[in-house]
Structure formats: C-alpha cells, structure tokens
Amino acid sequence: MPRIITLTPNPALDYAVHADFVEPNRKIRCRDPQTHPGGGGINVARAASRLGAHALAVFTAGGVYGDALIKAIASENVPMRMIPIAGNTRLAFHVSNHRDDDEYRFNLPGAELSEAERNQFFDAVREETDPGDYVVASGSLPPSAPEDFWAEIAKIVKQKKARFVLDSISGLDAALAEGVYMLRQNEFEYPALSGKTLKWPQEIKDFAQQIVADGKTEAMVISHGADGSIIATKDGLDFAPSYKVRASSAVGAGDSFVGGLLTALARGDSNEDALKLGMAAAGATRMSEGTALFKTSDVTNLFENGTPQ
C-alpha cells in the first residue's frame, strides 16, 4: 500500500471553546476547551491514519505552541517528521456561539521560514518519498514563502516517481506549470482557476474534464458542499453525493475528505468508492464538535448505511 505523505509548512495548534453568546465589547466566558493538531496536511494525515492508511505528517514546529503541536500529534499515534524552526507555530482559535448556532474562527499568522528551513523541508520530502507514494500539499504557505514553493515540491515528487496532490490555492499557477497528479478544489476555490463561478453540476463537470484534457493535472477533484463531489480523469468522471448529517462544526471537514479519498485510492478502490469514503469522512467530521475530526465508527456508518447512527 503506497504511503500518504502530507506536507504542512504552516501548521497550527487548534484551540476550541464553547460560549453561550458572542457579542462585541462584552466579556465572553468560555468553557470546554479542546486542543487538537491543526493545519491542512496534518489533518489529512490524522484522517488517513484513522482509516487505516500508511501516513506520514511532515511539518514545521517552533516555540511553545510548536511543542504542544508535536505532543498532540504524538498522542494520536500519527507518524511524523518535524522540521524545527526558529519562529513560533501559530494558534488557531475557534468559538462555538450557542445562542446563534454559529462559529467564529480566528487564524493567527504563522512564522516565516528561512532559506535553510525551507531547504530542510524540501530535503525531508526528498528523503521520505518512494515511488508510488501520494504526497499531499495542503493548507496555506508561511508568510513570505516564494510562489514556487509547491512547484519545487512537485518537481521533487516527480523525480521520485510519486504522485503529487495539491490541496491548496497558494502557489497554484507555478505548481500546475510544473505538473501535479491531482488537484483538489472546493466550491470557493475553483473560480480563481476557472475565472468565474460555474453552475452545478454540468458546467463544473465540463470544467473539471477540460482541466484534465489540457494536461494541467491527471485528476481534478471538486467538492461542492452539500451537492457532493466529482473527480475527472482521462477515463471519465465520477460523482458522490454528500451525506445529510446534523452539523456541529466545519473545521477539518475538507481535510478529512482528502484523507478518506486518498486512503481509498491507496488501497486500490475505484474513484467512485474513493469519493464516497471521502464524503463519509467529511460528513462524520462535521458531526464532531470544535476542531475534533471524525469518529471512525461514524465514517463506517455513513459509508455503509448512508446515515449516521
């Protein structure tokens, strides 16, 4: 089974609390604090590991929050390779507002990476990647990172005869010019590539198939919220609907989708079943509170029965 190697150069320590209300100029008393690892790639690795994949999280860490992030990942038994940095890992703060049944999400800026730290990150990818692996670039880039950051990763992955999966809007054009195996976009991201908002489903299906036909990627994945998700390849197009669940939080749902999708592909499942597992993982994460990811039993129930238990 190929390994799923996730890359997170700008991770976060996720901190979530509950509040009865949120109003300006008021003292907001919070309760039930929870801390989880954060950052797109780290969440993809967490999700894939829970679903039985061979995963590795490659990420940077520095400062007090960096130490807490390392401990949080270790507590979930997710294999990791940490790149130490001089700066401080960022904090992401989430507040569930019970009165209005909504959520506030605050993301602090991450640390800049020195040229030496960037090179250490690239070296880690080069050393860890084997032919056939899925190497996933996910989440934001650190402040002042060069636009060709993901393109450099894409070049390394191609040289190692592995498959580069881009789940980020940062450095998109340079990465596509270098070449990616799979590009994943959500309903808010794809318009930057298409130039406009497209109608679901036909215009988006046509767009995804055209991206593949133009040689920009071998697989184009678009997740469209409650409408479901599609994947276009040279062999055609597959679709999976979303699952109706009682949503508690959207944090990590997209990353869980990618983790489920790649776990299924890594074990040889069809594109349709891979989309289905991705949607089940996303739905199960939406059922979880705060910054927590899914319970594996919830993913299984959604995938096999179509409804949560």
Side-chain angles (χ1 to χ4, degrees):
M1 186 175 182
R3 192 158 61 157
I4 298 172
I5 301 172
T6 70
L7 311 179
T8 316
N10 193 33
L13 182 68
D14 281 343
Y15 193 79
V17 296
H18 294 261
D20 291 330
F21 66 91
V22 178
E23 290 181 358
N25 306 314
R26 295 284 302 275
K27 182 181 290 185
I28 310 300
R29 298 194 179 278
C30 303
R31 61 181 184 277
D32 303 326
Q34 296 182 28
T35 302
H36 294 101
I42 289 175
N43 283 337
V44 172
R46 294 169 65 205
S49 292
R50 293 186 190 189
L51 295 172
H54 298 299
L56 175 71
V58 178
F59 62 96
T60 62
V64 175
Y65 294 144
D67 291 341
L69 175 65
I70 294 168
K71 292 179 181 178
I73 297 172
S75 71
E76 297 190 18
N77 298 314
V78 177
M80 71 175 94
R81 177 161 175 175
M82 184 273 294
I83 312 301
I85 60 173
N88 295 315
T89 296
R90 64 192 174 108
L91 182 71
F93 191 70
H94 309 264
V95 183
S96 293
N97 175 16
H98 285 236
R99 184 187 64 187
D100 299 323
D101 193 27
D102 56 21
E103 184 178 51
Y104 291 80
R105 302 165 66 175
F106 304 91
N107 287 334
L108 276 66
E112 293 188 14
L113 302 186
S114 68
E115 183 179 357
E117 289 166 345
R118 290 199 303 270
N119 288 335
Q120 287 179 22
F121 197 93
F122 295 153
D123 287 342
V125 177
R126 191 175 289 109
E127 292 165 7
E128 295 290 350
T129 304
D130 289 324
D133 285 343
Y134 292 89
V135 180
V136 189
S138 184
S140 62
L141 288 174
S144 301
E147 278 297 306
D148 65 350
F149 187 96
W150 291 134
E152 287 297 316
I153 296 287
K155 185 184 301 183
I156 293 170
V157 174
K158 283 196 301 183
Q159 291 171 348
K160 302 293 288 189
K161 301 187 185 305
R163 291 169 280 202
F164 183 59
V165 179
L166 183 61
D167 183 29
S168 174
I169 59 174
S170 302
L172 178 62
D173 291 339
L176 289 179
E178 181 62 41
V180 305
Y181 171 78
M182 176 184 290
L183 174 64
R184 182 255 174 180
Q185 304 260 276
N186 65 29
E187 59 188 308
F188 306 109
E189 294 168 339
Y190 79 80
L193 190 58
S194 66
K196 60 180 180 179
T197 300
L198 303 173
K199 293 181 180 179
W200 176 269
Q202 194 56 53
E203 287 187 353
I204 290 179
K205 290 180 178 179
D206 292 343
F207 168 68
Q209 290 178 308
Q210 189 61 53
I211 290 292
V212 174
D214 290 343
K216 293 182 178 180
T217 181
E218 294 184 42
M220 180 71 188
V221 177
I222 298 179
S223 48
H224 207 260
D227 296 318
S229 295
I230 61 168
I231 180 170
T233 67
K234 64 179 179 61
D235 296 322
L237 187 140
D238 291 280
F239 162 79
S242 64
Y243 294 92
K244 295 182 179 180
V245 300
R246 181 177 177 81
S248 178
S249 172
V251 178
D255 302 326
S256 296
F257 168 81
V258 175
L261 173 76
L262 294 180
T263 295
L265 292 177
R267 68 190 184 198
D269 291 2
S270 67
N271 287 347
E272 182 180 5
D273 283 345
L275 279 180
K276 185 178 176 182
L277 184 62
M279 295 303 295
T285 291
R286 289 182 63 83
M287 294 164 58
S288 301
E289 291 188 352
T291 57
L293 295 189
F294 57 77
K295 297 177 182 177
T296 305
S297 59
D298 288 333
V299 177
T300 301
N301 287 329
L302 287 174
F303 185 79
E304 294 183 351
N305 306 315
T307 58
Q309 294 293 312

